[in-house]
Amino acid sequence: MKNICLLGATGSIGEQTLDVIKAHDDKFRLTAMTFGKNAEKAAEIIETFKPKYVGVGDEHTYETLKQHSFSYTFKTGIGEEALIEAAVIPEADIVVNALVGSVGLLPTLKAMEHKKTIALANKETLVTAGHIVKEHAQKYDVPLLPVDSEHSAIFQALQGENPKHIKRLIVTASGGSFRDRTRQELEGVTVEEALNHPNWSMGAKITVDSATMMNKGLEVIEAHWLFDLPYDQIDVLLHKESIIHSMVEFHDRSVIAQLGTPDMRVPIQYALSYPERLPFDEAKSLELWEVGQLNFAQADFERFRCLQFAYESGKIGGTMPTVLNAANEEAVAAFLSGRISFLGIEDIIEKALERHQVIAKPSLQEIREVDKDARKFVQTLLT
């Protein structure tokens, strides 16, 4: 039995993680969870899975949760402290970080210090502080298991292989909601259109990131840290069916790909059960004859400017990816609230990157300060 701490239980990845736990309740137990503001959904989860600890996003949501009547008692906490308390709870074996944004960084580091296995769906953790996270993983000898379908695919393709034989990683991308539109056709697109992803069911922020291709850019930076490869050995390939989740090319020109239907529960389960594989009858089998054909195209940096920003920021390194992520989070939030246009997301990120003076090897405190400063700067652009 593996005890699971789930950070971000009411989000898309969180819900799908719960599906896996429920499907294998003889293998996994939810021992701690956190959530942001959705008290109604959280109450259902609490009553169903009965975790020992529940972290709540803020005081108001905590008061809302208290109005529910539960059949058992559990410990609670509020805010960032609650994220950390959940992540270091002694009973937990695996911490699934399904949080959205840089808020996932500190609880990940604290969980590592307590020797927890990390199942990482929060890509911003590696984007904002990859060097610190990797140092922690090595120092505390903690497994860092990828949950994103692309990184899970690469991780699976590398099982039994010598990393020295890798020629390049090929990260596939659906292209998002606007993959068939020109830049001119992106003028005036709505929030509703951006949130209509053709393949995946995800949260609002990640779906918008997919539409701008920032999500893929963040995944490139994450792949750089997870697999210790330079950026010129990480390519992005547009593949609108999302059947091939990513590929690895070796120096003998062999290519190993991981395929499957677009279902995040499969890579989530692999991270939880690794190094074993468990059956999962809830997922649909891949029938290639039903798919018929697979399409591929090169990723155009002029069309997808956020992808270019990510590569450039990753290569510069230091605090530049921190600014990239912080500016993107604030810009996407502004778009979702109707304050800026879709293409305005790119403009804001570019201005934040151009303004920043890079710190080459930042401490955790410097990263947090840079993150805060970048967000403040973006807010000045929105007033």
Side-chain angles (χ1 to χ4, degrees):
M1 179 67 72
K2 292 181 180 179
N3 291 315
I4 310 298
C5 165
L6 177 55
L7 305 178
T10 58
S12 175
I13 296 296
E15 286 190 279
Q16 292 175 90
T17 301
L18 293 169
D19 285 345
V20 173
I21 295 173
K22 189 173 184 178
H24 296 287
D25 57 5
D26 60 328
K27 303 287 186 182
F28 308 122
R29 179 190 296 117
L30 183 69
T31 193
M33 61 170 274
T34 71
F35 73 99
K37 296 181 180 296
N38 195 335
E40 294 300 320
K41 186 184 292 185
E44 294 178 9
I45 296 169
I46 293 166
E47 194 56 58
T48 300
F49 292 89
K50 294 181 169 51
K52 295 182 178 181
Y53 182 89
V54 176
V56 186
D58 55 57
E59 190 73 40
H60 175 74
T61 307
Y62 173 72
E63 293 299 325
T64 303
L65 186 68
K66 281 173 60 178
Q67 296 174 13
H68 289 267
S69 177
F70 295 100
S71 62
Y72 78 111
T73 57
F74 50 88
K75 293 182 180 180
T76 57
I78 301 173
E80 186 176 63
E81 288 185 6
L83 291 175
I84 296 170
E85 288 173 358
V88 303
I89 188 171
E91 293 88 346
D93 305 302
I94 302 175
V95 173
V96 179
N97 189 337
L99 297 167
V100 176
S102 58
V103 67
L105 172 58
L106 195 56
T108 298
L109 295 176
K110 294 298 183 182
M112 286 179 165
E113 292 170 9
H114 285 73
K115 299 284 190 175
K116 310 294 185 184
T117 294
I118 307 297
L120 189 64
N122 173 253
K123 58 181 62 66
E124 294 87 354
T125 288
L126 282 173
V127 170
T128 57
H131 64 293
I132 294 177
V133 175
K134 287 302 293 288
E135 286 171 2
H136 256 59
Q138 292 166 4
K139 179 179 179 181
Y140 295 101
D141 192 25
V142 172
L144 187 60
L145 303 176
V147 168
D148 274 344
S149 60
E150 296 82 0
H151 303 106
S152 178
I154 293 168
F155 184 62
Q156 292 180 57
L158 289 174
Q159 294 303 302
E161 299 289 347
N162 187 338
K164 294 180 180 178
H165 297 164
I166 299 172
K167 186 176 189 296
R168 62 173 172 151
L169 307 180
I170 304 167
V171 181
T172 56
S174 69
S177 311
F178 305 132
R179 63 193 179 196
D180 297 320
R181 300 197 189 192
T182 64
R183 287 194 65 78
Q184 290 71 29
E185 292 171 334
L186 295 177
E187 295 283 352
V189 296
T190 66
V191 171
E192 290 72 24
E193 289 176 305
L195 294 179
N196 185 27
H197 196 286
N199 299 354
W200 298 94
S201 175
M202 304 180 291
K205 193 265 183 184
I206 297 176
T207 305
V208 173
D209 280 351
S210 179
T212 65
M213 285 282 276
M214 178 59 84
N215 194 49
K216 203 56 49 179
L218 299 179
E219 287 174 4
V220 167
I221 297 173
E222 190 178 8
H224 161 75
W225 290 113
L226 282 171
F227 305 109
D228 296 315
L229 282 177
Y231 289 95
D232 59 7
Q233 287 180 254
I234 306 173
D235 291 343
V236 171
L237 178 69
L238 292 178
H239 168 50
K240 66 181 183 181
E241 291 84 7
S242 297
I243 296 298
I244 297 177
H245 298 303
S246 277
M247 298 176 271
V248 179
E249 181 182 0
F250 297 91
H251 61 191
D252 64 355
R253 305 296 179 172
S254 295
V255 177
I256 295 180
Q258 190 267 333
L259 288 72
T261 53
D263 190 330
M264 275 303 301
R265 295 175 299 177
V266 176
I268 290 168
Q269 178 171 293
Y270 187 70
L272 295 185
S273 65
Y274 180 81
E276 303 297 326
R277 284 187 185 270
L278 297 175
F280 193 59
D281 296 334
E282 302 293 320
K284 184 180 183 295
S285 291
L286 173 63
E287 302 290 357
L288 286 173
W289 61 268
E290 291 180 350
V291 179
Q293 67 181 29
L294 302 177
N295 294 276
F296 306 96
Q298 286 186 311
D300 184 350
F301 279 15
E302 291 185 8
R303 166 63 178 81
F304 300 107
R305 293 183 67 214
C306 284
L307 185 59
Q308 181 180 7
F309 295 157
Y311 267 97
E312 291 173 349
S313 297
K315 289 177 180 178
I316 292 169
T319 49
M320 194 62 91
T322 304
V323 173
L324 174 84
N325 179 71
N328 178 65
E329 285 186 22
E330 295 298 314
V332 170
F335 169 68
L336 287 170
S337 64
R339 299 173 68 190
I340 62 171
S341 68
F342 180 75
L343 291 177
I345 296 172
E346 297 175 346
D347 296 335
I348 284 175
I349 295 169
E350 185 173 31
K351 288 175 181 177
L353 293 174
E354 288 177 345
R355 166 185 175 267
H356 182 58
Q357 298 295 314
V358 180
I359 302 171
K361 292 184 179 180
S363 65
L364 179 59
Q365 181 59 35
E366 287 172 322
I367 287 171
R368 289 166 71 88
E369 289 172 358
V370 166
D371 179 274
K372 188 187 228 178
D373 177 71
R375 292 174 192 275
K376 284 183 178 178
F377 173 70
V378 169
Q379 291 304 318
T380 66
L381 301 176
L382 297 174
T383 54

